[in-house]
């Protein structure tokens, strides 16, 4: 059973979308979750950690815990998960909006991001700074849902659909980086979040098998 995450009040989540030219993350910075089949949900297990030379981030969690029906998750948990995924995209855009300002040697600076997701962000920041790129604009999370959950360890898999049509990647001169716009205004991604006290933080992300929404 899928659990739709409630919309978060206030500003929409902000996010980066990148082309293959920009970074290997590509569509890895666009949430997911528009209408999808059970087959799609089954195709969204927790991803494996990617290799990285960056020290300290914890590897992405694997689905080794006891499976939990997402429909039985407490309302407070569902709300916290939705806030965690939204905070993730806001943190990404804040960092990528000024890559030279981010301290990639201090993982504590990127609150709400850990594991493979943090390693990817650090690698992306390094590439953006080297190329003189930065992100401009905001994106709106159209829909989010919990499609998987485990206990011991506590993890959830979230998919959400994000309108990223306003996002631009620009160079040092403020010109848009060629081929950096997403070909679709909305993109679907898969996030794995882990519990951190009363909050949930993103430990891994990847494009969904069917990224359009």
């Amino acid at each position: 059973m899928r659990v739709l995450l409630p919309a978060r009040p206030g500003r929409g989540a902000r996010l980066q979308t990148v082309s293959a030219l920009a970074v290997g993350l590509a569509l890895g910075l666009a949430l997911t979750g528009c209408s999808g089949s059970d087959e799609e949900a089954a195709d969204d297990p927790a991803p494996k950690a990617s290799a990285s030379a960056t020290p300290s981030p914890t590897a992405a969690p694997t689905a080794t815990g006891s499976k939990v029906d997402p429909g039985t998750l407490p309302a407070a948990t569902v709300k916290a998960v939705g806030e965690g995924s939204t905070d993730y995209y806001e943190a990404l855009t804040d960092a990528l909006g000024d890559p030279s300002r981010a301290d990639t040697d201090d993982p504590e600076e990127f609150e709400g991001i850990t594991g493979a997701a943090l390693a990817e962000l650090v690698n992306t920041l390094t590439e953006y700074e080297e190329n003189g790129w930065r992100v401009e604009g905001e994106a709106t999370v159209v829909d989010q849902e919990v499609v998987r959950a485990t206990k011991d360890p506590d993890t959830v898999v979230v998919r959400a659909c994000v309108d990223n049509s306003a996002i631009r990647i620009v160079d040092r001169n403020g010109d848009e980086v060629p081929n950096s716009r997403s070909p679709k205004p909305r993109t679907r991604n898969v996030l794995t979040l882990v519990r951190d006290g009363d909050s949930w933080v993103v430990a891994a992300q990847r494009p969904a098998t069917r990224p359009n929404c």
Side-chain angles (χ1 to χ4, degrees):
M1 178 178 180
R2 297 173 187 167
V3 177
L4 295 179
L5 298 173
R8 186 178 179 182
R11 67 173 182 169
R14 297 181 299 165
L15 125 120
Q16 168 219 17
T17 46
V18 235
S19 70
L21 171 66
V23 287
L25 278 183
L27 300 178
L29 303 179
L31 256 183
T32 65
C34 301
S35 60
S37 67
D38 291 336
E39 178 181 354
E40 289 170 344
D43 193 33
D44 291 337
K48 297 180 180 179
S50 59
S52 172
T54 305
S56 73
T58 306
T62 55
T64 56
S66 303
K67 288 185 179 181
V68 175
D69 181 351
T72 64
L73 294 174
T77 297
V78 174
K79 179 181 178 181
V81 168
E83 291 174 347
S85 57
T86 298
D87 288 345
Y88 168 67
Y89 288 102
E90 292 180 353
L92 285 179
T93 303
D94 287 343
L96 292 166
D98 189 358
S100 63
R101 179 178 56 84
D103 183 359
T104 56
D105 293 325
D106 181 14
E108 297 299 325
E109 179 174 329
F110 308 104
E111 185 176 357
I113 310 177
T114 189
L118 177 57
E120 288 177 330
L121 173 56
V122 169
N123 290 339
T124 303
L125 283 166
T126 300
E127 183 163 2
Y128 269 50
E129 186 173 6
E130 290 176 351
N131 287 283
W133 296 335
R134 69 179 188 279
V135 171
E136 291 183 347
E138 296 185 358
T140 302
V141 177
V142 178
D143 189 13
Q144 301 185 65
E145 59 182 346
V146 177
V147 296
R148 237 175 241 279
T150 68
K151 184 175 182 180
D152 299 325
D154 293 344
T155 69
V156 294
V157 174
V158 169
R159 294 187 303 156
C161 180
V162 174
D163 184 340
N164 50 33
S165 57
I167 297 299
R168 297 174 67 237
I169 300 174
V170 299
D171 60 21
R172 292 183 179 88
N173 299 319
D175 297 324
E176 187 168 319
V177 175
N179 303 317
S180 63
R181 280 185 182 265
S182 172
K184 300 290 184 179
R186 294 183 177 185
T187 310
R188 178 179 300 170
N189 267 30
V190 180
L191 301 180
T192 298
L193 294 90
V194 297
R195 185 187 292 275
D196 181 16
D198 294 330
S199 302
W200 290 79
V201 298
V202 173
Q205 64 75 35
R206 68 174 178 83
T209 302
R210 301 178 184 179
N212 297 332
C213 61

